[in-house]
Amino acid sequence: MSAKPVILVTRKLPDAVENKLAEAFTPMLNPRDKLYDTEELLRLAEEADAILPCHTEKFSAETIARLPSRIQAIANFSVGVDHVDLEAARQKGVIVTNTPDVLSDATAEIAMLLMLGAARRASEGERIMRNQQWKDWSPAFMVGRQITGKRLGILGMGRVGQVVAQRGRGFGMTIHYHNRNPLDSEQASGAIYHDSVESLLANIDVLSIHCPASDATRGLIDAQRLAVMHPDSILVNTSRGAVVDDDSLVDALNSGVIAAAGLDVYNGEPDSIHPGYRELDNVFLLPHIGSATVETRDAMGYRAIDNLVAIFKGEAPGDRVA
Ligand code: 8YV
């Protein structure tokens, strides 16, 4: 029997996933979850036939060019693939896969949490409780906004966007969306299509961002577009920080151009995010935990393993993106 292919796993994955991986492969694990720099990654890759990374490892064109020729695939433990230069991978003949579908529910939960947290001033409320600053109750105390019955705008009506739309309907929200193309009527389920971002932004109360980071979407939500939103509106982002221009959003939140924001993803995450966000009371901030549930993290791992199994059998992996 030929030796099992060696898989370089860049981060500590759930035990169940690591055990399953070992059934078909020889994993090179990272039990202490050390964040590898590029040189370390390239050195470890010398011993491997494929890499199973997270979005925390960046595969620029230069890094991909330097990958040992032995590496056949980058099987991501993520749905987003903006950390991989897909064109460079295609040119080098390295297969790239992702893990779609399995994190839509978990991410949609976080989008709803952000909407509610931003609308109902959860950060302020929590801070008051923890700092023992709750001294009085009055009809004017901590009054926020309701999301029930409001207009929910989905920017990027893919898998996650469609689940968020369903959850929004549960709150009696009317769904509006902008996408490259309108969905068919069954998928749209009555959601109202806008053929421009501006039209979407002008007609909603809550914006939920679900488009991937790409050259086309980088900085898409800028000062001009934020100015189209009405002053009571709320912005939530569970996709990628890159879709938002931070200076513009911080200004808009400071000056009342929009009312509040809920953010799970950032430019410069984890430790170089725009300092302005921390100063604002009207933002509800989470540390990129959209897919952070036991169920979803296991499912993401199994999905990455399925892709690797197909690749090393010489079959087409289900989730090939390059
Ligand atoms: C993942 C994500 O947990 O899958 C994605 O694209 O943004 C996250 O929710 C992370 O990327 C793991 O690599």
Side-chain angles (χ1 to χ4, degrees), residues 53-56 77-80 99 103 239-240 288 290-291 297 300:
C54 292
H55 78 277
T56 44
F77 182 88
S78 67
V79 63
T99 58
L103 41 62
S239 170
R240 284 291 183 268
H288 199 148
S291 67
R297 289 283 156 85
M300 289 166 73

